[in-house]
Structure formats: C-alpha cells, structure tokens
Amino acid sequence: EDLKKSGATVSLTGHTDKDGDVDFNYKLGLERAEKVKAQLVSRGVAPEKITVDSKGELERITDGSTPELKQQNRRVEIVVK
C-alpha cells in the first residue's frame, strides 16, 4: 500500500542456478522478474515505477552443489528506492 502511494521505484532482478546455457538462464531470470512485476502491478503498483533485469546464472549466492543450494540461486531480488 505504501509503495502505491509513494514516489519510490522498484528494481527487480531475476537469478537462476547454473543448469542450462547462459542465454536460456538470462531469459529465465527475466521471466521470473516479469512475473513479480505482474504481481505488483495487479496489486496497484504503477508499471512505470518498476524496472526488470536478469543476471541469469552470473550472480549465484551458492555453489549449487545440492538441490537445496541450487534452489537458493533461483530468486528475484527486489530493491525499493
């Protein structure tokens, strides 16, 4: 609710694990960020306040050596400014 009323902007960045090739993972990360954007817009946040990007597999937070660690790399980071 506060986000809808404020002048803040939202930056969404999608991330993936390292399975698949770089181009596929970039697109997958972008799809993840776009889905979060759609949710925010459906809740009343103006689409022009939201930017989306993807880092694909380039900024993993774990080495992905187990299924659980791979899952942690599959995320969307949200930054409100």
Side-chain angles (χ1 to χ4, degrees):
E1 197 63 34
D2 289 338
L3 188 55
K4 291 191 295 189
K5 296 176 185 175
S6 76
T9 59
V10 181
S11 173
L12 305 171
T13 306
H15 298 270
T16 68
D17 60 29
K18 63 181 181 176
D19 291 350
D21 68 32
V22 173
D23 290 336
F24 175 82
N25 285 332
Y26 176 83
K27 291 174 188 170
L28 182 58
L30 200 56
E31 285 177 23
R32 287 189 174 131
E34 289 286 356
K35 286 180 181 181
V36 173
K37 178 180 179 176
Q39 284 294 313
L40 291 172
V41 170
S42 75
R43 294 168 193 242
V45 179
E48 60 272 9
K49 290 185 172 186
I50 306 169
T51 60
V52 295
D53 192 16
S54 175
K55 297 296 183 184
E57 63 185 59
L58 300 178
E59 293 184 6
R60 297 183 314 274
I61 55 174
T62 72
D63 65 5
S65 59
T66 68
E68 293 80 14
L69 291 175
K70 280 185 183 183
Q71 189 174 23
Q72 290 179 24
N73 289 320
R74 301 173 191 143
R75 68 194 189 281
V76 174
E77 291 182 345
I78 302 169
V79 177
V80 178
K81 296 180 187 175

